[in-house]
Amino acid sequence: MIYLDNSATTKPLPEVLESYMKAATTYYANPSSIHLLGSEAERLLTKSRNMVAAIMGIEANEVLFTSGGTEANNLAIKGIALQHQNRGKHMITTQIEHPSVLEAFRGLEDLGFEVTYLGVDQEGYVDPCDLENTIREDTILVSIMSVNNELGTIQPVQEIGKIAKKYPKLFFHVDHVQGLGKVPMNVGQSNIDLCSVSGHKIHGLKGTGALFVRGNVTLFPLLHGGSQENGKRAGTENLPAVVAFAKALRLIMDKEQNHLPELISLQKYVRHQLSQIDSLLINSPVNSAPHIVNVSLPGFKPEVIIHTLAQRGIYISTKSACSSKQPDVSSVLKACRIDASRTTSSLRISLSYQNTVTEIDQFIQALKEAIVHLKTSMGR
């Protein structure tokens, strides 16, 4: 099998699964219990939180564990909106965010909030000047993803952070789910108030993730109950998931520090090989995230290509997994004003540190053969 759908999810590492199993079978007590087993579980929770904070360059009390990126995005956006609506009800995001961001904003619009959805250029970049010109007296939140999940476009987060800092009433949220471990970003030094990450995108487990919340930022909780997670997320902590997430984070950041040039080189190889295929168009910017290459094959239905490759044990995708069952057109490519023949025929190849040149060669050969086969079938 050749797995090239790592932006949808990644294969859990054995070390991560081992950490989960050990925590689940040994430290199963409730961390809030006052007996010895509970105290041991609480110590492991604290140790995991400290590890995550140290890796991300933030304080331990700024780490809020969640069930993944979707919950982190919802908590950041709705939590700020509901807690700070007395300051204003205007918020800013872009047209190419993940559905967990766009739908959260649309839900808030139903409650009377006003949202500006910034456009992007043909490569998916947001213009910081457009962003600053959109900020109003009643703007309370800017939410921008660090890396687009379909194109791999890397947004100018640091530049946007500098703009946001000039407006004290405004909070800055970054969805860093696709960038974590592949696109270096110093959360603590980028003027970011809230940052969402997910475990299953970094060879961790589904149902794990975190929201990093700057120390002085207050949120309206989505879940009420106990005082877990500094009162921002009630409910018994999922300690095995937390431990597994911390482990996955340590391992992926080690990869980023020591093996990122290899991933960049592999992506360049993929782009070069794909560029040799007639009628194939590359949509991702040249300087995109090192694990995503988006292409279009006008005239071919992407699902047919995907199923043809899957029959040979090769797995790629069309667009975001969270919107892959929606109509054929890619809303991200459409927002980039790319013509319909490309928005309805896009494919996403997403790499991990585990992929090899040999796998890429096999994929390219299989893709070429699939195109020839389909052209013959269609009488071209």
Side-chain angles (χ1 to χ4, degrees):
M1 182 182 77
I2 299 174
Y3 187 73
L4 301 173
D5 193 16
N6 290 282
S7 286
T9 194
T10 53
K11 182 180 180 180
L13 291 171
E15 301 97 313
V16 173
L17 293 169
E18 185 180 343
S19 295
Y20 181 91
M21 286 299 296
K22 184 176 181 181
T25 55
T26 304
Y27 300 95
Y28 52 82
N30 190 323
S32 298
S33 295
I34 60 173
H35 51 62
L36 178 60
L37 287 179
S39 297
E40 290 176 344
E42 185 181 27
R43 276 197 291 275
L44 183 57
L45 178 63
T46 300
K47 181 181 177 182
S48 300
R49 195 184 306 278
N50 289 339
M51 179 191 296
V52 170
I55 292 171
M56 299 305 298
I58 58 178
E59 300 296 324
N61 64 358
E62 296 176 324
V63 178
L64 194 162
F65 292 113
T66 69
S67 63
T70 290
E71 183 192 338
N73 283 337
N74 272 266
L75 178 56
I77 295 164
K78 295 175 183 174
I80 287 294
L82 297 176
Q83 181 70 23
H84 300 281
Q85 56 186 311
N86 289 336
R87 295 184 181 184
K89 287 194 166 186
H90 178 242
M91 297 173 289
I92 302 171
T93 189
T94 78
Q95 297 174 7
I96 62 168
E97 300 297 310
H98 187 269
S100 63
V101 168
L102 293 174
E103 293 305 318
F105 278 116
R106 286 169 185 146
L108 288 169
E109 286 180 301
D110 292 339
L111 297 178
F113 289 86
E114 185 180 351
V115 183
T116 297
Y117 299 90
L118 292 173
V120 294
D121 68 16
Q122 287 200 317
E123 292 186 320
Y125 291 103
V126 65
D127 184 342
C129 292
D130 284 349
L131 169 68
E132 185 160 19
N133 291 335
T134 309
I135 295 174
R136 310 185 325 205
E137 182 65 24
D138 61 341
T139 303
I140 58 172
L141 177 66
V142 169
S143 179
I144 306 281
M145 62 191 353
S146 63
V147 173
N148 182 262
N149 50 320
E150 290 190 31
L151 284 172
T153 307
I154 302 172
Q155 300 294 359
V157 169
Q158 282 213 327
E159 191 174 351
I160 294 171
K162 289 177 183 176
I163 293 171
K165 192 178 181 182
K166 294 190 289 185
Y167 300 87
K169 288 172 56 176
L170 183 154
F171 297 96
F172 180 32
H173 168 240
V174 174
D175 174 358
H176 193 42
V177 167
Q178 283 295 337
L180 184 64
K182 277 85 72 177
V183 178
M185 186 178 79
N186 190 319
V187 176
Q189 297 179 4
S190 300
N191 299 313
I192 296 170
D193 294 305
L194 307 111
C195 179
S196 304
V197 294
S198 173
H200 77 100
K201 308 289 190 182
I202 57 171
H203 301 283
L205 303 178
K206 297 171 183 64
T208 66
L211 176 66
F212 306 135
V213 185
R214 189 179 291 277
N216 61 350
V217 175
T218 55
L219 292 172
F220 188 87
L222 301 186
L223 302 174
H224 290 86
S227 59
Q228 293 91 348
E229 300 301 297
N230 287 326
K232 296 183 174 74
R233 183 183 190 261
T236 303
E237 298 92 343
N238 187 348
L239 182 58
V242 167
V243 171
F245 173 73
K247 185 78 169 186
L249 180 64
R250 185 175 69 77
L251 293 173
I252 196 69
M253 297 309 279
D254 179 71
K255 288 288 186 184
E256 181 184 272
Q257 183 173 359
N258 297 302
H259 299 281
L260 185 55
E262 296 161 33
L263 186 61
I264 294 172
S265 177
L266 186 64
Q267 187 211 36
K268 288 181 178 176
Y269 184 73
V270 173
R271 287 184 68 106
H272 175 72
Q273 294 300 315
L274 288 169
S275 69
Q276 305 303 306
I277 298 176
D278 289 340
S279 72
L280 183 145
L281 301 167
I282 296 177
N283 300 316
S284 294
V286 172
N287 296 318
S288 66
H291 61 300
I292 297 176
V293 181
N294 187 294
V295 302
S296 288
L297 275 168
F300 294 92
K301 284 187 172 294
E303 61 269 26
V304 175
I305 297 285
I306 286 172
H307 293 315
T308 302
L309 291 174
Q311 289 173 355
R312 301 179 63 165
I314 300 172
Y315 297 92
I316 63 172
S317 64
T318 50
K319 43 193 175 181
S320 162
C322 290
S323 56
S324 62
K325 294 182 180 178
Q326 302 300 315
D328 285 344
V329 62
S330 163
S331 60
V332 171
L333 298 189
K334 186 178 179 182
C336 295
R337 301 181 299 283
I338 292 175
D339 68 68
S341 66
R342 292 169 69 177
T343 61
T344 55
S345 64
S346 67
L347 299 164
R348 182 181 67 181
I349 300 99
S350 50
L351 311 171
S352 79
Y353 291 98
Q354 297 176 341
N355 290 126
T356 65
V357 170
T358 300
E359 289 181 327
I360 298 306
D361 286 339
Q362 293 175 15
F363 157 63
I364 295 293
Q365 182 60 34
L367 179 60
K368 289 177 178 176
E369 291 173 5
I371 293 171
V372 170
H373 172 72
L374 292 172
K375 280 184 175 177
T376 303
S377 300
M378 292 185 291
R380 293 185 181 179

